[in-house]
Structures are given as structure tokens and as C-alpha cells.
Amino acid sequence: MAPRVIALDLDGTLLAPNKTILPASLEALARAKAAGYQVLIVTGRHHVAIHPFYQALALDTPAICCNGTYLYDYAAKTVLESDPLPVEKAQALIALLAEHRIHGLMYVDDTMMYEQPMGHITRTLNWAQSLPEAQRPSFTQVASLASAAREVKAVWKFALADADTERLQRVTDVVADRLDLACEWSWHDQVDIARKGNSKGSRLARWVESQGLSMQDVVAFGDNYNDISMLEAAGTGVAMGNADEAVKARASVVIGDNTENSIADFIYKQLL
């Protein structure tokens, strides 16, 4: 049976390095939708940070956000299902990050919170300012993440980044050991921390089942470690050529880089 769902990671996969979707990818995905495919964004991003891409793809499907932490309905502007971090876990993580002097971006409700605009936080803020105002993600600077975590409705995840990746790995090991949280690399210098059990693959499987389909009906595209769960669970897991070798080894197929028309070529040759 031919796949009926196309699941797409964003950064490093559908998005070129300049954070745009290649015209060929847009055209191929539009043709796939016209042919009856359901196209789904499955990302580590907060839902407020995918507006430009959701709109460019003209989607009507919900988005799987923060590595499977929640399912978001754009039309209704509501979270359909979620498994956020317990407040006490978030508090313990914030304390541990302060101990190791790691700056984190805390994804909550409808915004992303930070204390100091440093490193990847500054890069993300700069990217946001480059967008039209209606598409800009929401960021909130707070005096204390610990205090903010007690006041919000839900803490989706934390994004940690450090130029010293060995140091970041050491801190991640401590987080996993002490707090029993899920730690997934989503970029070469970024680790996402979320509730254990959340993953792109598990949330995608739940949504696919709700559509009366199975994961055998899914072709999933990804490039990083946080994509492995859906690459392995999908009937066809497609790794980008720019992915790490360990990610490629867990996929069914490896295609070209995200700088090329690799996704479009695969869709035309294998799906249409």
C-alpha cells in the first residue's frame, strides 16, 4: 500500500540553511497534497515559531511540536493533546542549569522565555526580527525562569545550547541521570530537554492512528537525533544527506542534502 502521510521535520530537513523552504519542495508538496497525501509538520520548534512554514505549505493538519510534547491545531488555535513537564521537574532543571551556568530557552504556553539574550537565544531573536510582524514568534524575557515556571499553564521543553559541545554533553548526562528527563540533540550544538516518553515518533503514531491509518502509511523525513523515533516508526524513514551517519543508519532511505531539491525529487520519483 502506498503511503498516505508525509511527515516533515523542519530545521536541517525541509528548511534550507537560510531557514526557507526551497521552491521545488513547495511545488512537490502541493502536488502531493492534491494527490491526497496528508502533509504534517513534526518539529522540535514551538508552534509560535513555525507560522511562516505552515502558511507557505497551506496546511490544514495539526502540527506536532517540541519533539512530540504536544499536538497543536492551528485553525482552532488550541493544543489538542500534550504531555508537558511537571512543574517540579522544570524547577529542578532550572536549578541544575544555573549550577552549570548553562542558559536555557524555556518553551511554555504561547511563548518562549529566557533570562539573558545569549548565544542561540540571540540568534533566534535575530531570526524572528527578520520575519513579517504577523509571523514573528513570541519571546518573553523574564527575571527568573524558576518563578515563571510556577505561573504558566504548561512547560513544553527547554532548549540548551553551548559552543562547547563536550561540556553540553556532560550537563545533558547529569540531567538524564538526576532528573530522568528525555535529552535529544536537535542541532549540532543544541539539546532539547522534555518529559521522558515524549518523542516525534510516539506523537506521530497517535495522530496517524486517530486518522484510521498505520505508521506503514507514513513517509517521514528527518536529519537529526530527535528525528530517529519517527524515521524508525514510519513505513519509510528518509534521512537527509546532511544527517549524521548514526541517523542515516536508522533510516530506510538516504537522499541528498537540504540545500538541494532532494525532498522534491524523492516525492516525484517515489510518491507521485
Side-chain angles (χ1 to χ4, degrees), residues 27-189:
E27 176 64 23
L29 288 164
R31 293 192 184 187
K33 285 172 56 188
Y37 284 91
Q38 295 194 72
V39 177
L40 200 75
I41 288 175
V42 186
T43 180
R45 289 180 178 234
H46 195 298
H47 70 267
V48 300
I50 62 177
H51 287 297
F53 320 119
Y54 192 88
Q55 292 167 5
L57 293 166
L59 299 181
D60 57 8
T61 49
I64 293 174
C65 303
C66 290
N67 298 326
T69 295
Y70 65 103
L71 183 69
Y72 187 79
D73 183 332
Y74 267 93
K77 296 183 179 180
T78 189
V79 174
L80 299 175
E81 58 180 40
S82 66
D83 292 287
L85 274 167
V87 174
E88 63 274 11
K89 290 271 189 176
Q91 297 276 17
L93 175 58
I94 292 166
L96 194 150
L97 295 181
E99 176 187 335
H100 290 271
R101 299 187 301 280
I102 293 283
H103 293 280
L105 190 59
M106 185 170 74
Y107 292 49
V108 305
D109 301 341
D110 295 309
T111 191
M112 291 170 281
M113 294 181 166
Y114 65 95
E115 291 180 354
Q116 299 296 329
M118 301 180 67
H120 72 297
I121 297 172
T122 302
R123 294 196 301 270
T124 308
L125 289 169
N126 290 338
W127 169 75
Q129 289 302 309
S130 72
L131 297 172
E133 188 172 355
Q135 294 183 340
R136 288 176 191 167
S138 171
F139 291 90
T140 305
Q141 186 170 16
V142 295
S144 168
L145 289 179
S147 296
R150 290 192 294 269
E151 298 167 359
V152 300
K153 293 179 181 178
V155 177
W156 305 128
K157 76 164 191 178
F158 284 77
L160 319 179
D162 198 294
D164 185 343
T165 54
E166 290 185 3
R167 177 170 176 262
L168 189 58
Q169 181 65 64
R170 290 193 297 271
V171 172
T172 300
D173 290 343
V174 173
V175 170
D177 181 56
R178 287 191 197 174
L179 304 181
D180 196 32
L181 295 175
C183 305
E184 293 187 303
W185 290 82
S186 59
W187 202 241
H188 65 91
D189 62 350

Side-chain angles (χ1 to χ4, degrees), residues 224-243:
N224 222 313
Y225 290 90
N226 61 336
D227 297 314
I228 288 175
S229 62
M230 72 171 180
L231 294 179
E232 290 188 324
T236 304
V238 183
M240 304 303 294
N242 48 284

Side-chain angles (χ1 to χ4, degrees), residues 14 198 268:
L14 181 63
N198 289 344
Y268 290 133

